Short mmCIF file of all heavy atoms in Angstrom, two decimals:
data_model
loop_
_atom_site.label_atom_id
_atom_site.label_comp_id
_atom_site.label_asym_id
_atom_site.label_seq_id
_atom_site.Cartn_x
_atom_site.Cartn_y
_atom_site.Cartn_z
N GLU A 29 27.81 14.54 -84.60
CA GLU A 29 28.64 15.60 -84.01
C GLU A 29 29.91 15.07 -83.35
O GLU A 29 30.85 15.81 -83.11
CB GLU A 29 27.84 16.39 -82.98
CG GLU A 29 27.44 15.59 -81.75
CD GLU A 29 26.86 16.46 -80.65
OE1 GLU A 29 26.58 17.63 -80.92
OE2 GLU A 29 26.71 15.95 -79.53
N SER A 47 29.33 -14.09 -81.86
CA SER A 47 28.75 -13.65 -80.59
C SER A 47 29.05 -12.17 -80.34
O SER A 47 29.99 -11.60 -80.90
CB SER A 47 29.32 -14.48 -79.44
OG SER A 47 30.70 -14.21 -79.27
N TYR A 72 30.75 3.46 -80.37
CA TYR A 72 32.16 3.56 -80.71
C TYR A 72 32.34 4.53 -81.88
O TYR A 72 31.54 4.55 -82.82
CB TYR A 72 32.72 2.19 -81.10
CG TYR A 72 32.91 1.26 -79.92
CD1 TYR A 72 31.89 0.39 -79.53
CD2 TYR A 72 34.11 1.24 -79.21
CE1 TYR A 72 32.06 -0.47 -78.45
CE2 TYR A 72 34.29 0.38 -78.14
CZ TYR A 72 33.26 -0.47 -77.76
OH TYR A 72 33.43 -1.31 -76.70
N ASP A 120 25.28 32.49 -86.68
CA ASP A 120 24.83 33.82 -86.30
C ASP A 120 25.79 34.50 -85.33
O ASP A 120 25.79 35.72 -85.21
CB ASP A 120 23.43 33.75 -85.67
CG ASP A 120 22.38 33.31 -86.68
OD1 ASP A 120 22.61 33.49 -87.89
OD2 ASP A 120 21.34 32.78 -86.25
N ALA A 136 30.83 28.48 -70.25
CA ALA A 136 30.04 27.62 -69.35
C ALA A 136 30.56 26.19 -69.38
O ALA A 136 30.61 25.50 -68.34
CB ALA A 136 28.57 27.67 -69.76
N ALA A 149 35.66 28.30 -60.23
CA ALA A 149 35.48 29.76 -60.34
C ALA A 149 34.16 30.05 -61.02
O ALA A 149 33.59 29.19 -61.71
CB ALA A 149 36.64 30.37 -61.13
N GLY A 159 45.68 32.62 -77.23
CA GLY A 159 46.84 31.98 -76.63
C GLY A 159 47.16 32.59 -75.28
O GLY A 159 46.67 33.66 -74.91
N ASP A 224 57.73 46.19 -54.66
CA ASP A 224 57.34 46.63 -56.01
C ASP A 224 57.04 45.47 -56.96
O ASP A 224 57.01 45.65 -58.17
CB ASP A 224 58.43 47.52 -56.60
CG ASP A 224 57.91 48.34 -57.79
OD1 ASP A 224 56.72 48.74 -57.75
OD2 ASP A 224 58.67 48.55 -58.76
N MET A 231 55.56 28.46 -62.83
CA MET A 231 55.03 27.21 -63.37
C MET A 231 55.17 26.13 -62.29
O MET A 231 56.20 25.45 -62.23
CB MET A 231 55.77 26.81 -64.64
CG MET A 231 55.45 27.67 -65.83
SD MET A 231 56.54 27.40 -67.25
CE MET A 231 57.90 28.48 -66.81
N LEU A 250 54.35 29.48 -50.81
CA LEU A 250 54.33 30.57 -51.78
C LEU A 250 53.08 31.43 -51.61
O LEU A 250 53.15 32.67 -51.68
CB LEU A 250 54.40 29.99 -53.20
CG LEU A 250 54.44 30.98 -54.36
CD1 LEU A 250 55.60 31.96 -54.22
CD2 LEU A 250 54.52 30.23 -55.69
N ARG A 255 50.34 36.49 -49.99
CA ARG A 255 49.34 37.20 -49.20
C ARG A 255 50.01 38.22 -48.28
O ARG A 255 49.56 39.37 -48.15
CB ARG A 255 48.52 36.21 -48.38
CG ARG A 255 47.44 36.87 -47.54
CD ARG A 255 46.79 35.88 -46.59
NE ARG A 255 45.81 36.53 -45.74
CZ ARG A 255 45.31 35.99 -44.63
NH1 ARG A 255 45.70 34.76 -44.26
NH2 ARG A 255 44.42 36.64 -43.91
N VAL A 259 51.34 40.29 -53.21
CA VAL A 259 51.82 39.95 -54.54
C VAL A 259 50.86 38.95 -55.17
O VAL A 259 50.41 38.01 -54.51
CB VAL A 259 53.25 39.35 -54.47
CG1 VAL A 259 53.69 38.86 -55.85
CG2 VAL A 259 54.24 40.35 -53.91
N ASP A 272 49.18 12.88 -64.28
CA ASP A 272 48.55 11.60 -63.98
C ASP A 272 48.53 11.29 -62.49
O ASP A 272 48.16 10.20 -62.07
CB ASP A 272 49.23 10.46 -64.73
CG ASP A 272 50.73 10.38 -64.44
OD1 ASP A 272 51.21 11.13 -63.56
OD2 ASP A 272 51.42 9.57 -65.08
N VAL A 308 41.79 32.57 -65.82
CA VAL A 308 40.81 32.63 -64.73
C VAL A 308 41.37 33.61 -63.70
O VAL A 308 42.49 33.44 -63.21
CB VAL A 308 40.58 31.26 -64.09
CG1 VAL A 308 39.43 31.34 -63.09
CG2 VAL A 308 40.28 30.21 -65.16
N ARG A 322 40.50 43.65 -74.64
CA ARG A 322 39.76 44.23 -75.77
C ARG A 322 40.64 45.18 -76.57
O ARG A 322 40.53 45.26 -77.80
CB ARG A 322 38.52 44.97 -75.25
CG ARG A 322 37.57 45.40 -76.36
CD ARG A 322 36.20 45.79 -75.81
NE ARG A 322 35.28 46.10 -76.89
CZ ARG A 322 34.61 45.21 -77.60
NH1 ARG A 322 34.76 43.93 -77.34
NH2 ARG A 322 33.79 45.57 -78.57
N LEU A 324 43.81 44.80 -77.06
CA LEU A 324 44.80 44.03 -77.80
C LEU A 324 44.22 43.32 -79.02
O LEU A 324 44.91 43.16 -80.03
CB LEU A 324 45.46 42.99 -76.87
CG LEU A 324 46.38 43.57 -75.79
CD1 LEU A 324 46.78 42.49 -74.80
CD2 LEU A 324 47.62 44.20 -76.42
N ASP A 325 42.96 42.84 -78.93
CA ASP A 325 42.45 42.11 -80.11
C ASP A 325 40.95 42.23 -80.36
O ASP A 325 40.44 41.58 -81.26
CB ASP A 325 42.82 40.63 -80.00
CG ASP A 325 41.93 39.87 -79.01
OD1 ASP A 325 41.25 40.51 -78.21
OD2 ASP A 325 41.94 38.62 -79.04
N ALA A 334 34.21 28.22 -81.15
CA ALA A 334 33.03 27.38 -81.40
C ALA A 334 33.44 25.95 -81.72
O ALA A 334 32.80 24.99 -81.28
CB ALA A 334 32.21 27.97 -82.54
N HIS A 341 32.57 19.16 -76.07
CA HIS A 341 31.23 18.69 -75.74
C HIS A 341 30.97 17.29 -76.30
O HIS A 341 30.27 16.48 -75.69
CB HIS A 341 30.19 19.67 -76.29
CG HIS A 341 28.79 19.38 -75.86
ND1 HIS A 341 27.92 18.61 -76.63
CD2 HIS A 341 28.10 19.71 -74.74
CE1 HIS A 341 26.77 18.51 -75.99
NE2 HIS A 341 26.84 19.16 -74.85
N ARG A 377 72.41 10.25 -63.70
CA ARG A 377 72.14 10.04 -62.27
C ARG A 377 71.44 11.24 -61.65
O ARG A 377 70.53 11.10 -60.82
CB ARG A 377 73.46 9.78 -61.55
CG ARG A 377 73.32 9.50 -60.04
CD ARG A 377 74.68 9.58 -59.37
NE ARG A 377 75.26 10.91 -59.46
CZ ARG A 377 76.54 11.16 -59.70
NH1 ARG A 377 77.40 10.17 -59.91
NH2 ARG A 377 76.98 12.41 -59.76
N THR A 387 62.60 16.51 -69.51
CA THR A 387 63.47 16.55 -68.35
C THR A 387 64.77 17.21 -68.78
O THR A 387 64.89 17.64 -69.93
CB THR A 387 63.73 15.14 -67.78
OG1 THR A 387 64.41 15.25 -66.53
CG2 THR A 387 64.57 14.30 -68.74
N GLY A 394 82.21 23.41 -67.55
CA GLY A 394 83.15 23.57 -68.65
C GLY A 394 82.81 22.81 -69.90
O GLY A 394 83.56 22.85 -70.89
N ASN A 398 78.08 24.14 -77.32
CA ASN A 398 77.88 24.30 -78.77
C ASN A 398 78.48 23.12 -79.53
O ASN A 398 77.91 22.64 -80.51
CB ASN A 398 78.51 25.61 -79.24
CG ASN A 398 77.74 26.82 -78.73
OD1 ASN A 398 76.56 26.73 -78.41
ND2 ASN A 398 78.41 27.96 -78.64
N ARG A 436 68.25 20.07 -72.32
CA ARG A 436 66.81 19.87 -72.17
C ARG A 436 66.35 18.82 -73.19
O ARG A 436 66.57 18.96 -74.38
CB ARG A 436 66.07 21.18 -72.41
CG ARG A 436 64.55 21.11 -72.20
CD ARG A 436 63.95 22.48 -72.49
NE ARG A 436 62.52 22.53 -72.19
CZ ARG A 436 61.57 22.13 -73.02
NH1 ARG A 436 61.89 21.64 -74.21
NH2 ARG A 436 60.29 22.23 -72.68
N ASN A 441 58.16 14.67 -79.67
CA ASN A 441 58.34 14.39 -81.09
C ASN A 441 59.35 13.28 -81.35
O ASN A 441 59.87 13.16 -82.47
CB ASN A 441 58.78 15.67 -81.82
CG ASN A 441 57.62 16.60 -82.07
OD1 ASN A 441 56.90 16.48 -83.05
ND2 ASN A 441 57.42 17.54 -81.15
N ARG A 446 62.56 4.73 -80.40
CA ARG A 446 63.84 5.30 -80.75
C ARG A 446 64.47 6.10 -79.60
O ARG A 446 65.57 6.64 -79.77
CB ARG A 446 63.68 6.23 -81.97
CG ARG A 446 63.06 5.57 -83.20
CD ARG A 446 63.98 4.60 -83.89
NE ARG A 446 65.20 5.24 -84.35
CZ ARG A 446 65.30 5.98 -85.46
NH1 ARG A 446 64.23 6.17 -86.23
NH2 ARG A 446 66.45 6.50 -85.80
#
Side-chain angles (χ1 to χ4, degrees):
E29 66 170 11
S47 67
Y72 287 91
D120 294 337
D224 198 35
M231 288 169 276
L250 182 56
R255 181 189 177 195
V259 174
D272 57 6
V308 188
R322 190 165 184 81
L324 290 171
D325 76 345
H341 188 266
R377 182 193 63 220
T387 189
N398 291 336
R436 183 181 185 276
N441 282 275
R446 304 288 300 281

